[in-house]
Amino acid sequence: MTSNKSVLSWIEEMKELLTPDSVVWIDGSEEQLNALRAEACSTGEIIKLNEEKLPGCYLHKTAVNDVARVEDRTFICARNEKDAGPTNHWKDPQEAYKMLFDIAKGSYKGRTMYIIPYSMGPIGSPLSQIGFEVTDSIYVVLNMAIMTRIGAKVVEQLGDSTDWIKGLHSRCDIDAEKRYICHFPEDNYIISVNSGYGGNVLLGKKCFALRIASYLGKNNQWMAEHMLILGIQKPDGDIKYVTAAFPSACGKTNLAMLIPPEGYQKKGYKVWTVGDDIAWMRKGPDGRLWAINPENGFFGVAPGTNVKSNPNALASTKQGTIFTNVVHNLEDNTVWWEGLDKNPPANAENWKGQPWNGQTSDEKGAHPNSRFTAPAKNCPCISSEFDSITGVPVSAIIFGGRRAQTTPLVYQSRDWNNGVFVGSIMASETTAAATGAVGVVRRDPMAMLPFCGYHMGDYFKHWFEMGELLGDKAPKIFNVNWFRLDDEGNFLWPGFGDNFRVLEWIINRCEDKADANETAIGYVPNADDINLEGLDMDKKVLEDILAVDNAKWSKEAEGIAEFYKKFGDRLPKELADQLDGLNKRLAK
Ligand code: GTP
Ligand code: SPV
Ligand code: MN
């Protein structure tokens, strides 16, 4: 399929190492994908769902020990340990290659090697990047075919260039003890063994588009971020774009596809989705920051997705979608998950493939990190700029996390540098998207803690440098928290579509059209600055979730100082100064 020497010689190496029975180049044609779907159905790797209700949709179940990203087995193999930084696990690259090649050696015996050429970003965009993933999993091929642009057109775009990223995936024996997700930023190489779960094996996603790309971006004045991208269309037709970084399972897909409350819709407001997980951003010819979504589909959290919370996401899953680890409804060969509706099927199989009666069982049927892989083009509110090679100009960057207390519903940073500080102090309760304890508050700067491919102190420095590069054209920076709880553990803010009320304030702030109150942490709206029209909410509750409690923030500042210590002399001085500034304002 290609005469590119650098590609061909690596493929030869892979064949020698992995010893597949056969080799298949993925050309991206529907015929080839159909043949692969049929083959995977015949072996039970995927199940074909009800063609009338869910045309072109399939169900896959992973191994029970392989359901989420494994942060403790994810490594940044920089030559110098210091360059991986205190927030990443590190292995010496030579030792890692040896260990991984030993594990992968001969592992494709009796299997087929699939070679997937893929582009992250629209083919031909100056912001896009190309990769090759070899895999022994048809599930991976079919997912990559949804999540990225694949096949012959990618190879053609690459031509003779050596500028591409290597990705080796082998399921091996799905042995959790020998599971490793390793990145070699200095070699543009990713190796993933003994897993079959999304974020560990769809190597274009977190491994390339964040870990490797964040490193490339630092060296070349651009940014790879764990951010959604959305456009807010105003009644006059003008569209303003914002990006938002929330940790895994904290609401990016939901915000990206939001439907504004009825009152706003009547006035002519609308939200368009450009991306729901990752943004690549670069200074454009006009001096502003421009963003593309490197992906071509959504790998979204299934539980909680329903007609009310996210109708656009649900609609996106109605055809050509792969479901992973949800409930198999045997009554009509469809799927179900917690929070889809109030009618769990009685005759079903849970995510582990065991008989499950949703009417009587106390156990959850779908895994909390069960997912759908849906083509972006299915999304009813997909942006007309989705395939644009220039991307979209960014007016505001929003950070956010899950905090039961302390962090108000929304606030604006004082300026770019203060905004970098706001991103760096992000903290959030952990979720099921990664293995480990759920619900523990941890620092997760810019939602990049598990995804930054180099030293996080240098990553902060890069943010400051981007601010200098963009000058007064830099986006405004905000922080949101949809997850404040009352004493009984109920959410105080309705969230979902009503988050538009906060987006409106943010956009108005960017245009100097909304008021705010200056507090120690930044600019917070007065209760009157957030439109509650059509919402049954007590203004007192809004006041409560907008309040900045200086005593709580002083405690928070202690936690930040503790966190910053990790970075030693690679913590940019600007951040230490910002923390000083916060402490001084709190003491006033
Ligand atoms: P990743 O794909 O893991 O990166 O997750 P994500 O950030 O895209 O999160 P997603 O939008 O899938 O939301 C995850 C969970 O948060 C779902 O269970 C949602 O129902 C819930 N959620 C999203 N938005 C809101 C909100 O505004 N309020 C509340 N209370 N829950 C929300
Ligand atoms: C996340 O965990 O942030 C995801 C899912 O978007 S995964 O692809 O598994 O990383
Ligand atoms: Mn994510």
Side-chain angles (χ1 to χ4, degrees):
M1 200 157 86
T2 178
S3 55
N4 183 308
K5 287 206 185 84
S6 60
V7 174
L8 291 175
S9 85
W10 179 65
I11 294 296
E12 280 314 308
E13 260 175 57
M14 290 298 99
K15 280 197 232 170
E16 240 166 76
L17 173 74
L18 303 162
T19 61
D21 281 13
S22 56
V23 176
V24 173
W25 285 81
I26 299 301
D27 61 21
S29 69
E30 219 20 61
E31 280 157 317
Q32 188 185 43
L33 292 173
N34 268 332
L36 290 172
R37 288 177 189 119
E39 189 182 335
C41 285
S42 75
T43 60
E45 188 177 351
I46 58 175
I47 296 168
K48 168 113 185 81
L49 296 167
N50 186 321
E51 179 62 22
E52 245 161 65
K53 293 187 176 171
L54 294 168
C57 292
Y58 297 84
L59 171 63
H60 171 79
K61 297 187 195 99
T62 63
V64 181
N65 74 7
D66 189 27
V67 293
R69 285 182 292 100
V70 280
E71 295 180 2
D72 55 334
R73 309 199 69 92
T74 298
F75 294 85
I76 300 298
C77 307
R79 267 170 230 145
N80 187 338
E81 178 169 7
K82 286 218 168 76
D83 291 336
T87 58
N88 282 312
H89 299 292
W90 175 83
K91 275 190 192 301
D92 172 76
Q94 292 321 316
E95 286 170 23
Y97 280 127
K98 180 167 184 320
M99 175 192 74
L100 295 163
F101 289 154
D102 279 349
I103 292 173
K105 196 171 169 132
S107 64
Y108 283 18
K109 202 160 177 40
R111 301 179 187 181
T112 300
M113 170 160 117
Y114 301 100
I115 305 166
I116 316 167
Y118 66 94
S119 172
M120 298 312 289
I123 292 171
S125 164
L127 287 87
S128 296
Q129 302 273 339
I130 286 172
F132 283 78
E133 174 166 356
V134 298
T135 179
D136 54 349
S137 157
I138 297 181
Y139 171 76
V140 167
V141 174
L142 297 177
N143 272 272
M144 287 293 282
I146 297 172
M147 294 306 296
T148 72
R149 284 103 172 155
I150 59 160
K153 53 192 194 282
V154 175
V155 171
E156 192 182 322
Q157 172 69 27
L158 183 67
D160 290 332
S161 168
T162 54
D163 191 8
W164 55 277
I165 275 71
K166 300 181 179 100
L168 159 57
H169 168 241
S170 177
R171 284 178 297 152
C172 299
D173 310 310
I174 314 283
D175 178 350
E177 301 298 310
K178 289 188 186 155
R179 185 168 299 151
Y180 293 99
I181 321 298
C182 292
H183 308 72
F184 303 82
E186 289 134 345
D187 304 340
N188 287 334
Y189 210 150
I190 304 158
I191 302 178
S192 161
V193 290
N194 278 298
S195 175
Y197 165 77
N200 299 332
V201 300
L202 308 178
L203 300 185
K205 198 173 176 58
K206 295 298 171 31
C207 299
F208 178 178
L210 288 178
R211 297 195 190 97
I212 297 287
S214 61
Y215 177 78
L216 295 174
K218 177 201 60 154
N219 292 335
N220 297 287
Q221 288 195 323
W222 55 282
M223 307 168 90
E225 299 294 336
H226 192 198
M227 290 179 179
L228 66 93
I229 311 167
L230 65 81
I232 300 162
Q233 182 172 331
K234 294 187 274 182
D236 65 5
D238 181 34
I239 303 180
K240 288 276 181 284
Y241 294 92
V242 307
T243 65
F246 309 154
S248 302
C250 289
K252 289 182 300 300
T253 303
N254 277 272
L255 190 68
M257 299 181 189
L258 162 160
I259 295 182
E262 218 175 285
Y264 283 97
Q265 289 180 45
K266 284 207 182 108
K267 283 187 217 150
Y269 286 94
K270 183 141 181 46
V271 165
W272 299 105
T273 309
V274 182
D276 82 324
D277 199 49
I278 299 176
W280 284 359
M281 304 187 288
R282 196 187 285 262
K283 180 178 167 178
D286 65 355
R288 290 188 292 172
L289 188 64
W290 289 70
I292 63 162
N293 170 10
E295 301 190 282
N296 201 29
F298 310 117
F299 187 60
V301 178
T305 306
N306 61 54
V307 265
K308 274 184 84 183
S309 65
N310 196 346
N312 286 318
L314 196 63
S316 305
T317 66
K318 291 300 176 193
Q319 54 178 313
T321 294
I322 301 171
F323 298 91
T324 302
N325 292 343
V326 298
V327 171
H328 190 191
N329 180 349
L330 299 173
E331 282 157 28
D332 61 354
N333 191 25
T334 57
V335 288
W336 191 85
W337 51 77
E338 276 67 29
L340 173 64
D341 56 37
K342 297 210 164 74
N343 293 308
N347 176 21
E349 262 177 25
N350 66 11
W351 69 272
K352 296 177 191 163
Q354 301 158 335
W356 184 76
N357 182 336
Q359 303 285 336
T360 56
S361 177
D362 302 329
E363 265 181 53
K364 286 196 166 146
H367 189 275
N369 190 40
S370 55
R371 300 241 166 198
F372 54 79
T373 316
K377 65 171 192 299
N378 282 2
C379 182
C381 59
I382 196 73
S383 164
S384 60
E385 302 308 301
F386 177 74
D387 277 317
S388 156
I389 59 169
T390 56
V392 296
V394 181
S395 297
I397 292 173
I398 306 171
F399 295 120
R402 257 174 213 272
R403 292 299 297 272
Q405 293 190 23
T406 314
T407 310
L409 177 66
V410 58
Y411 66 101
Q412 180 183 3
S413 68
R414 305 161 72 87
D415 52 31
W416 177 275
N417 281 5
N418 180 239
V420 176
F421 171 71
V422 168
S424 79
I425 66 168
M426 265 171 70
S428 193
E429 291 147 26
T430 50
T431 66
T435 54
V438 167
V440 183
V441 175
R442 71 165 182 187
R443 297 277 155 204
D444 187 352
M446 283 87 169
M448 283 290 278
L449 183 73
F451 306 121
C452 182
Y454 60 103
H455 195 298
M456 202 143 218
D458 297 351
Y459 169 82
F460 295 143
K461 181 160 166 267
H462 180 50
W463 267 83
F464 287 117
E465 286 164 357
M466 288 303 295
E468 256 172 59
L469 184 71
L470 295 163
D472 60 4
K473 295 207 167 125
K476 303 278 187 279
I477 300 180
F478 298 80
N479 193 89
V480 299
N481 177 21
W482 318 135
F483 299 95
R484 283 285 287 267
L485 299 181
D486 66 13
D487 294 337
E488 273 91 58
N490 305 305
F491 290 114
L492 286 162
W493 174 249
F496 301 99
D498 287 307
N499 292 334
F500 192 83
R501 301 170 191 278
V502 173
L503 290 182
E504 182 188 33
W505 181 78
I506 286 174
I507 286 300
N508 283 339
R509 283 297 290 176
C510 293
E511 297 178 340
D512 276 330
K513 287 190 203 148
D515 218 346
N517 191 7
E518 188 175 347
T519 71
I521 62 170
Y523 302 99
V524 178
N526 302 294
D528 288 330
D529 300 324
I530 301 284
N531 175 13
L532 291 185
E533 212 180 289
L535 185 64
D536 182 23
M537 183 173 179
D538 195 340
K539 194 173 250 170
K540 173 76 182 50
V541 176
L542 180 61
E543 279 166 10
D544 283 350
I545 58 178
L546 287 173
V548 175
D549 182 332
N550 280 7
K552 278 193 183 140
W553 272 95
S554 295
K555 198 99 205 93
E556 189 75 11
E558 287 171 22
I560 297 164
E562 196 54 42
F563 179 62
Y564 276 180
K565 277 191 197 154
K566 270 191 181 197
F567 300 100
D569 60 1
R570 270 160 102 159
L571 182 84
K573 182 173 177 302
E574 289 91 333
L575 284 183
D577 292 347
Q578 286 288 337
L579 181 56
D580 270 352
L582 173 64
N583 276 320
K584 286 201 180 104
R585 290 191 298 276
L586 284 168
K588 258 192 212 154

